[in-house]
Amino acid sequence: MKEFFPRRGLPNVIQKLENGETVTIVYFGGSNTRSKGYRVMTADWLRGQYPHADIRSVNAGIDGTGSDLGCARLETDVLRHQPDLVFVEFVGNDGGVPESKARIEGIVRQIHKHSRFTDILFVYTVKERDLTSFQSGQYQKGARMQEEVADYYGIPSIHLGVAVSQLVLEGKLIFTLRADVSIPGAVIFTHDSIHPTIPEGHQIYTDTITRSFEKIRELRDHVGKVEHHLPQDPLVPANPWEYATMLPLDSLTHFSAGWSYMTPDDFPLVREYEWLFPGLWRAVDPGETITVEFEGTHIGLFDIGGPDSGRLKVTVDEGEPFLIDRFTSYNDHNRNQYVYLPELPNGKHTVRFEIDHKKTDKAAVFEASGNERGMEHVRQHPAWYDHTVIQLGKLLLVQPPL
């Protein structure tokens, strides 16, 4: 299996590096990108390779997020930095869902609508569950979908799982071992089957990326600045995701009286997540509502969930109400999360979110997911879970032309 597909390469960023110019690289993805792993290591390697260039690295990774949120936050987290190169890493969190292809294409089209001279590089991380596919000669499902996008737009891609699976086959690497267990002389790749250890696991990712970069550099034909092709027709017909955006809640929203806007000065939780949101809209009582009027195909909420989270009763265009629970099996602690409603016909819509009076059986949620730590946490702190709090950071919209 090949670990690298060069396609049209990275002509513009390499030229700027070789000329000793200022170069901005945005690392865009999930937790593997946010951690101080391959992101930091590859930027340091490039600084060593190009000591005269001013290489600026932007961390645009957010734990537990996929390409759907990525499409919406692209302007805020990526494009405003005027990147020369964007690493795109969403295979792990997208989980191979069919919609991933459209969303990844939405990211590519937004980047190249902003600038035809920005280079893009897809990197595909690997989970332990993917090993069986690799060892039978197949890339994971999510990577295969993204490769269709890469082929269509000429984007280079790196399959980080190829080297990892080969090292496992050779007996040189143990994919997953608990952090409190050690085996002398063995390279332990992860402690949780997903996130590589630092530095050992991420060094393998980094070595794969730098090997590939050297090949890209060798293949470059020195034609000067290259304008990337942006086909008029998307690969995915009628793909709306290049029109995704992320907005402040109060831009399109009417709040009932019980909502408060909390700033970092007001509330410790907001200080903790100030890197994501300037403030949080917070309500604690059942019956409190927000109403959003918008045009488009998708609406979603980017929020903070925790032990105290409640659920929302949602009504779209005065239709039959349905529930979205903002308490999840991960909420034995506070964490950023998001949700989209099902796709709507493109047009004008009114969506009403109401904090539901009925509380979620949170212990049952933990039990169903096998979260033993969460079950114990409920037993120890039942009062923390006996609430219906909603804490909203941003509004997510997809708004293709009517």
Side-chain angles (χ1 to χ4, degrees), residues 176-207:
T176 302
L177 192 68
R178 291 196 339 245
D180 59 350
V181 178
S182 62
I183 297 177
V187 175
I188 310 304
F189 188 63
T190 77
H191 297 310
D192 62 1
S193 81
I194 297 169
H195 301 97
T197 52
I198 298 174
E200 295 87 351
H202 269 280
Q203 188 62 57
I204 296 168
Y205 277 179
T206 301
D207 291 344

Side-chain angles (χ1 to χ4, degrees), residues 5-55:
F5 292 84
R7 298 189 178 90
R8 295 179 190 159
L10 305 172
N12 299 317
V13 72
I14 290 177
Q15 182 180 45
K16 292 186 76 171
L17 288 167
E18 290 178 348
N19 291 343
E21 298 178 48
T22 297
V23 167
T24 299
I25 302 173
V26 176
Y27 292 84
F28 188 42
S31 53
N32 280 321
T33 293
R34 182 160 182 79
S35 71
K36 294 179 179 179
Y38 87 88
R39 170 179 58 83
V40 173
M41 294 173 178
T42 56
D44 286 346
W45 180 84
L46 285 167
R47 291 185 183 105
Q49 294 285 304
Y50 301 98
H52 300 296
D54 178 11
I55 298 173

Side-chain angles (χ1 to χ4, degrees), residues 221-387:
D221 55 13
H222 299 275
V223 294
K225 202 171 184 181
V226 174
E227 186 171 356
H228 292 293
H229 179 53
L230 183 63
Q232 182 174 351
D233 295 325
L235 173 65
V236 178
N239 187 355
W241 285 95
E242 66 181 280
Y243 303 102
T245 189
M246 183 168 71
L247 299 173
L249 259 295
D250 53 0
S251 60
L252 295 170
T253 304
H254 172 75
F255 296 87
S256 62
W259 289 87
S260 300
Y261 186 69
M262 314 298 285
T263 70
D265 294 332
D266 302 325
F267 200 48
L269 183 69
V270 184
R271 286 197 293 277
E272 184 181 345
Y273 286 95
E274 191 176 4
W275 63 280
L276 274 182
F277 310 119
L280 288 171
W281 287 94
R282 190 171 192 269
V284 301
D285 295 324
E288 296 295 344
T289 64
I290 65 169
T291 304
V292 184
E293 295 183 1
F294 80 103
E295 292 182 358
T297 57
H298 294 77
I299 182 172
L301 301 171
F302 192 10
D303 59 339
I304 301 296
D308 56 0
S309 290
R311 58 188 191 177
L312 292 167
K313 184 165 65 176
V314 184
T315 307
V316 179
D317 299 331
E318 300 183 352
E320 195 68 27
F322 60 93
L323 292 171
I324 55 170
D325 203 337
R326 302 318 298 136
F327 179 84
T328 75
S329 59
Y330 301 103
N331 286 144
D332 54 9
H333 61 285
N334 293 313
R335 67 192 295 270
N336 55 267
Q337 56 190 30
Y338 64 100
V339 63
Y340 281 96
L341 303 191
E343 184 171 4
L344 299 166
N346 193 17
K348 294 183 178 181
H349 302 285
T350 301
V351 182
R352 184 176 186 269
F353 300 88
E354 177 184 346
I355 301 180
D356 193 38
H357 286 76
K358 189 174 180 181
K359 294 175 183 174
T360 299
D361 185 341
K362 296 176 179 179
V365 171
F366 288 143
E367 186 174 6
S369 68
N371 184 346
E372 295 180 6
R373 184 181 70 177
M375 292 161 64
E376 180 60 27
H377 202 242
V378 173
R379 286 192 288 269
Q380 291 179 357
H381 307 284
W384 293 6
Y385 289 83
D386 190 27
H387 298 281

Side-chain angles (χ1 to χ4, degrees), residues 3 18 101 118 153 155 170 210 243 260 303 373 381:
E3 67 182 13
E18 290 178 348
K101 182 165 70 172
T118 300
Y153 292 93
I155 295 167
E170 293 170 0
T210 57
Y243 303 102
S260 300
D303 59 339
R373 184 181 70 177
H381 307 284

Side-chain angles (χ1 to χ4, degrees), residues 62-301:
I62 302 180
D63 296 358
T65 64
S67 59
D68 48 358
L69 180 66
C71 286
R73 66 184 182 91
L74 201 67
E75 176 62 42
T76 304
D77 294 351
V78 178
L79 300 181
R80 71 180 179 89
H81 298 288
Q82 305 298 329
D84 297 291
L85 171 62
V86 181
F87 279 73
V88 178
E89 176 268 310
F90 286 115
V91 156
N93 287 337
D94 277 7
V97 297
E99 296 83 4
S100 177
K101 182 165 70 172
R103 295 164 181 168
I104 290 293
E105 182 181 36
I107 288 171
V108 170
R109 293 186 69 84
Q110 282 191 62
I111 292 171
H112 281 162
K113 280 196 298 186
H114 178 80
S115 170
R116 297 284 184 91
F117 299 101
T118 300
D119 293 337
I120 302 172
L121 177 64
F122 288 174
V123 292
Y124 308 132
T125 56
V126 64
K127 299 181 180 181
E128 188 168 25
R129 70 185 186 197
D130 301 324
L131 281 184
T132 304
S133 295
F134 275 93
Q135 291 170 357
S136 63
Q138 270 207 327
Y139 303 108
Q140 66 269 56
K141 182 180 177 183
R144 296 198 300 271
M145 285 191 293
Q146 288 199 28
E147 284 291 85
E148 294 181 51
V149 179
D151 277 337
Y152 193 69
Y153 292 93
I155 295 167
S157 60
I158 304 173
H159 293 262
L160 301 174
V162 173
V164 174
S165 60
Q166 185 61 36
L167 289 168
V168 171
L169 279 174
E170 293 170 0
K172 297 177 181 177
L173 180 145
I174 298 171
F175 200 99
T176 302
L177 192 68
R178 291 196 339 245
D180 59 350
V181 178
S182 62
I183 297 177
V187 175
I188 310 304
F189 188 63
T190 77
H191 297 310
D192 62 1
S193 81
I194 297 169
H195 301 97
T197 52
I198 298 174
E200 295 87 351
H202 269 280
Q203 188 62 57
I204 296 168
Y205 277 179
T206 301
D207 291 344
T208 305
I209 293 168
T210 57
R211 270 197 307 275
S212 300
F213 197 93
E214 287 173 338
K215 291 175 184 173
I216 292 175
R217 186 164 55 191
E218 291 166 10
L219 292 167
R220 195 164 73 90
D221 55 13
H222 299 275
V223 294
K225 202 171 184 181
V226 174
E227 186 171 356
H228 292 293
H229 179 53
L230 183 63
Q232 182 174 351
D233 295 325
L235 173 65
V236 178
N239 187 355
W241 285 95
E242 66 181 280
Y243 303 102
T245 189
M246 183 168 71
L247 299 173
L249 259 295
D250 53 0
S251 60
L252 295 170
T253 304
H254 172 75
F255 296 87
S256 62
W259 289 87
S260 300
Y261 186 69
M262 314 298 285
T263 70
D265 294 332
D266 302 325
F267 200 48
L269 183 69
V270 184
R271 286 197 293 277
E272 184 181 345
Y273 286 95
E274 191 176 4
W275 63 280
L276 274 182
F277 310 119
L280 288 171
W281 287 94
R282 190 171 192 269
V284 301
D285 295 324
E288 296 295 344
T289 64
I290 65 169
T291 304
V292 184
E293 295 183 1
F294 80 103
E295 292 182 358
T297 57
H298 294 77
I299 182 172
L301 301 171

